[in-house]
Amino acid sequence: MHIFLLQIFGFLALMCFILAIGNGIWEHDKGYYFQVYLPWADGVTSAPYSGFLMFWSYVIILNTVVPISLYVSVEIIRLGNSFYIDWDRKMYYPLNDTPAQARTTTLNEELGQIKYIFSDKTGTLTQNIMAFNKCSINGKSYGDVYDVAGQRTEITEHTEKVDFSYNQLADPKFVFYDHSLVEAVKLDDAATHGFFRLLSLCHTVMPEEKKEGNLVYQAQSPDEGALVTAARNFGFVFCARTPETITVVEMGETKVYELLAILDFNNVRKRMSVIVRNPEGGLTLYCKGADTIVYELLDASCGPLKEETMEHLNEFAGEGLRTLVVAYKNLQEDYFQEWHQRHHEASTALDGREEKLSELYEEIEKDLMLLGATAIEDKLQDGVPQTIETLTKAHIKIWVLTGDKQETAVNIGYSCNILHDDMKEVFIIEGNTSEDVLDELRNARKKMNPDSFLDSDEVNIKFENPSTKSRILPEEQANGVYGLVINGHSLAYALEGNMELELVRTACMCKVVICCRVTPLQKAQVVELVKKYKKVVTLAIGDGANDVSMIKTAHIGVGISGQEGMQAVLSSDFSFAQFRYLQRLLLVHGRWSYIRMCKFLRYFFYKNFAFTLVHFWYGFFSGFSAQTVYDQWFITLYNLVYTSLPVLGMSLFDQDVDDRWSMQFPHLYEPGQQNLYFNKIEFVKCVLHGIYSSLILFFIPYGAMYDTVRSDGKAIADYQSFALMAQTCLLIVVSVQIGLDTAYWTAVNQFFIWGSLSLYFAIIFTMYSDGMYLIFTASFPFIGTARNTLSQPNVWLAIFLSIILCVLPVVGGRFLKAQLMPTVSDKILRKIRAAKKRPPPPLPKTRLRRTSTRRSGYAFSHQHGFGALIMSGRNMRPKLPFTTTGTFSPNSEKNRHK
Amino acid sequence: MAAASPCAEPAARNKPDNTAFTQQRLPAWQPLLSAGTALPLFFCVGLACLALGLGLHFSSDTIRELELDYTGAPGSGHNCSRCGNASLAGAGACTCSLRFELPERFPGPVCLYYQLSNYYQNHRRYSVSRDDRQLSGDASGLSNPATECSPFRTDPQGIPIAPCGAIANSLFNDTFALYHLANGTFHPVPLDNRGISWWTDSNIKFSNPELVNGSLEAAFKGTAKPPNWPHAAYMLDTGNPNNTGFINEDFIVWMRTAALPTFRKLYRRVREGNFSSGLPQGTYRLDITYNYPVLSFQGTKKVIFSTVSWMGGKNPFLGIVYLVFGSACILTGFVMLAVHIKFQKQNQMDVE
């Protein structure tokens, strides 16, 4: 806006200069001789000096082009639109009684121009709750609900949940819908029992009994917690562990397994195993891990089962679930003893311990028997995939910046629709050296847009020429939809000085970017990078303290007020409780605020130009004497009283389409991103429009009054009548113009517009009345003008003529433009108009189910080192919970007898 | 568990109010610019403009108007050239007369105007050079005129001028007498000088200072006449106490400054005696007392005889603009219609 103000100042100076020159010439040619009747003012001795003085007089007269009241109005509008955000019930989250909050009131219109969203993952996109959702046991898939006809049905709130009341130790929060799995457990299906036994044994979870009978698991990774809880509910309750034992209540029967070894998880192995001795004395190795890894280790006899399970895995992966494959293996006593010996030696070895251990692990983890697969849902916040889809349709680029591991991040990317299979390719940048990263970035860009390496490419030209100061990159198009996943350590290289250009070019060509394992500082750096090279409005959204830097760096920061404390909210500009409210914030509030602000600015500049430039034209007919066209009172009240409320009413209430349509047609958001509604061209247009109107507003009264008289022969071409006529024309024209610009006529708008006009007439008839003149003689010299002028038919004919001359070209222009060169939003508005006439179609309930070709849904938020910790017993309390107290189990009596 | 029971939900203290205003659901009228509204608008406005234009044009045409330029620029060979030269030389009053023919009867009431051109009554310094307080008869305004009147605020002796200011000082002071040739002799045509100014001006805005001992002259005591005037204000119309001083109607008419550098002001009306129904066709003579110099700044002076209609004086401008704009509207309407028909199908396709 400041650039526009500077231009206006320039324009003002130009006008004053022209008029000052005009005055110099006029005084030389005419004023000098006219001194018989009008001597020059004291001290004025020459025409040029008079022109110089007149320059400053005109600065005073014409300064109304620089709208000082603009700033006040802008602040009022922003404040109003911020209140709408606070008041929106559709952004209120009832569960924790949190309304949306606009914490700054100066950024509303930028909400309508967002091009890049930087989002945190955990707590923002996801709830950080893992839920055991589905599984595949021995070639049979569980977890879906079928209706009577055998059709898979949608799981809703009304779907009957599985009743776990038979199991007193069940976790009441656990929810499962497929009854057939319970049946299988109750029928003593061996594979099912084996599956859940594995889940209850193969993990690093610690049990805790805070209150009596209330068993709580302390899981280092939420995935494991979900799996062990699932086993618990299905009747395999993991109760207690010591460094040497694991106690499990299996279908009401307490069993103590001897824990012989934990083959711990790490990022390379992508699996973990335990070796236990069951109460009967059998030795078993239980293993769970990534499908790609575990499948390599399976025994050849699992052939057909492998196929079926793989099918299920694909299905799970396609739904964005995190999958693990589970397998077991019975061990021979003598082999195990020998292995155990070697394991002990390796784990006490002084050098090369890791390598030795992993060799040993690989040796024993083979020829596994496949049990099945688990599918865990990393619970997304409500409506995240739909929100992402809508925002993507609005051509907003979404970058996920997360501290999580690559697999987890990619998995979430798929499950919340950021990544999908329609993408031509998802590039993964994980190089460990600067050169690798550069190569990977360049290869990706080569694939997306080979032309961008040509010397003729405008970006290359721009950066070869060091003289160009601006670093803003133009938008580069890729030849398809691509995604980019970049690792934290690679990002560190890519953010280094000379490579950041490569990064930003490649990344911005992609529709989606996921940065994983990034530090809070890197999050901010990425945002900074995009701000530096792209002329776009960025938004960062997050919930935790680690997002604060990013939220502060982006143009607009949004805080999710969730569980993770208040730091993000406190440093944000807007806050609400759920990620899904973002689409409403942007597509409804942001878009409206942007449209309103643009309409406001266009109208405001227009009305002030139309108002002021009339003085300019009058200068040519009044000896460039800084004579105003209007009454002083009108000049004082014009911005303050006559035209302030209608434009405020428009800027507070206007909406082109209501919120539902705004969300249904996200394309309507695009004009904001390209800033189509108020830019240099639009500004020039409203200046030209203002100039045109001022010409009409001057020359129609001029022509109508030239040499004419009232119908009784008395004068009407006097200055006061002319002033009244011009100001009446002006006010009616700008009122009609605001009527044209208003798309949404509420009662308030009507009241403001008609009220302002009525007020105008009331005020002029009062100010120009006999009484006012008799009381304040010198202040109201326009006595009688209103009565004598507005009673004349030709005055009204002239007013009517100026209105239609000002307004009809605008109407015609808009109509023809919408017909000949309809913009995207014109087309959508037309579509909405057509749709409004028809009865509204029922909203299609689309479940975002993807037929995926993804191979693996493996993601696991586990960390290395917990196996060793458990085996050492260092994390155990001296008082063992179960074996000593044993109070929470209904079977405790029986246990003791054993 | 507690979480499952509905009564455990937190109280919705922060829940925003569900009103149409806060939820931005105020009932509203959403007019749309479509072919259904734009085309009829253009055609209707176009037709209305044509009708108005024709009406105005014909009314304007019925108005009879006759202009007589009597500036008498040197070398123009005009009857008043002598007076023009005299005014350039700074000589005093001069009279000249013009003979002219009225080609047709001017139906009454006929107004007699004087018109000045290249005369900047709308110049800012000129138009503020007056004191409304003084002109409304205020005693303090009389003794202490407003500073805007400068340099015609006081005379060189420091005596306040009444009426002060450049406007009053430059009062138009040519006078006219009209004679009609009938039966070989010129008979004077009576000219009515009453009611030529706005009622509000002559009755409220302007009034004489309170009479002192019943004498206006005494009321003006202690003031000086404007330098250009031959007499003081109270002698403007010595014969008629209701038309002298500040409430002299010629003075009031002059004081209502014009908006444009070419302007006409009402001088007299012909509405008495034999001429109450108008000026008959024939030969007339206009005797002019040429006092007012305009040649020094290339001004012109004219006398105009004009009839009036409901729309005032002759002004072809409005009628022509209405006609042109009305035709343009209808033409644009057809263009829009053509465009609409041509693109309707394509736009329809966009919708589907």
Side-chain angles (χ1 to χ4, degrees), chain A residues 154 294 378 386 389 448 493 556 562 597 683 688 713 743 765:
Chain A
E154 203 68 31
V294 176
D378 186 356
Q386 291 84 347
E389 201 188 353
M448 289 191 285
Y493 292 114
I556 294 176
M597 187 55 75
F683 176 70
L688 290 178
F765 275 99

Side-chain angles (χ1 to χ4, degrees), chain A residues 418-662:
Chain A
I418 293 178
L419 298 171
H420 47 82
D421 291 318
D422 301 340
M423 287 188 162
K424 262 193 166 169
E425 193 172 340
V426 176
F427 304 110
I428 294 185
I429 312 288
E430 48 188 351
N432 278 321
T433 64
S434 184
E435 290 76 29
D436 287 354
V437 175
L438 183 63
D439 278 350
E440 284 172 329
L441 286 172
R442 292 204 154 176
N443 287 339
R445 184 150 64 89
K446 199 164 257 169
K447 269 188 195 160
M448 289 191 285
N449 184 355
D451 292 348
S452 68
F453 285 92
L454 299 178
D455 286 341
S456 58
D457 186 76
E458 57 176 317
V459 181
N460 295 339
I461 293 170
K462 186 171 187 172
F463 280 85
E464 255 164 46
N465 183 357
S467 64
T468 46
K469 278 267 159 50
S470 154
R471 288 179 301 190
I472 300 300
L473 289 174
E475 194 73 12
E476 290 182 283
Q477 290 301 327
N479 55 10
V481 180
Y482 291 93
L484 182 80
V485 177
I486 184 161
N487 249 308
H489 52 88
S490 310
L491 190 63
Y493 292 114
L495 286 173
E496 274 168 15
N498 48 357
M499 234 199 298
E500 59 177 28
L501 181 63
E502 286 293 330
L503 174 68
V504 79
R505 286 185 75 182
T506 307
C508 289
M509 265 190 224
C510 296
K511 201 146 177 91
V512 166
V513 178
I514 296 180
C515 305
C516 25
R517 285 213 169 275
V518 291
T519 61
L521 179 66
Q522 280 179 320
K523 287 185 179 185
Q525 282 176 327
V526 171
V527 177
E528 190 61 54
L529 180 72
V530 173
K531 271 173 78 180
K532 184 169 154 192
Y533 284 103
K534 292 275 173 176
K535 202 180 168 217
V536 291
V537 184
T538 56
L539 179 145
I541 179 167
D543 72 321
N546 59 345
D547 305 315
V548 168
S549 58
M550 154 173 103
I551 285 174
K552 282 191 168 158
T553 311
H555 292 105
I556 294 176
V558 177
I560 302 272
S561 39
Q563 292 89 358
E564 277 203 54
M566 290 297 285
Q567 288 103 318
V569 171
L570 289 177
S571 53
S572 68
D573 304 310
F574 299 91
S575 74
F576 41 71
Q578 290 275 303
F579 180 79
R580 67 168 185 272
Y581 298 152
L582 187 62
Q583 60 175 335
R584 198 171 166 82
L585 183 73
L586 300 189
L587 298 188
V588 178
H589 290 285
R591 202 175 73 85
W592 281 349
S593 296
Y594 173 71
I595 291 179
R596 286 167 185 173
M597 187 55 75
C598 292
K599 274 191 171 180
F600 167 80
L601 290 175
R602 285 196 310 232
Y603 177 75
F604 208 94
F605 285 124
Y606 162 73
K607 96 178 155 80
N608 276 36
F609 270 97
F611 169 68
T612 310
L613 287 176
V614 179
H615 296 312
F616 180 78
W617 310 122
Y618 195 42
F620 290 85
F621 298 89
S622 63
F624 306 93
S625 59
Q627 176 71 299
T628 57
V629 179
Y630 318 113
D631 178 13
Q632 284 305 323
W633 288 103
F634 181 79
I635 293 173
T636 313
L637 298 177
Y638 176 73
N639 267 329
L640 201 67
V641 176
Y642 299 143
T643 59
S644 59
L645 285 180
V647 68
L648 272 185
M650 178 184 76
S651 320
L652 288 176
F653 297 110
D654 209 51
Q655 38 187 285
D656 50 353
V657 291
D658 67 14
D659 49 349
R660 279 176 304 131
W661 293 109
S662 304

Side-chain angles (χ1 to χ4, degrees), chain B residues 56-104:
Chain B
L56 283 167
H57 190 70
F58 284 118
S59 316
S60 183
D61 266 4
T62 59
I63 294 169
R64 303 281 170 270
E65 201 178 89
L66 181 82
E67 285 188 13
L68 300 170
D69 190 320
Y70 72 99
T71 318
S76 64
H78 194 276
N79 218 357
C80 290
S81 290
R82 184 176 50 81
C83 290
N85 288 330
S87 80
L88 276 178
C94 161
T95 51
C96 61
S97 56
L98 294 173
R99 262 180 87 119
F100 63 94
E101 299 283 327
L102 272 194
E104 57 188 332

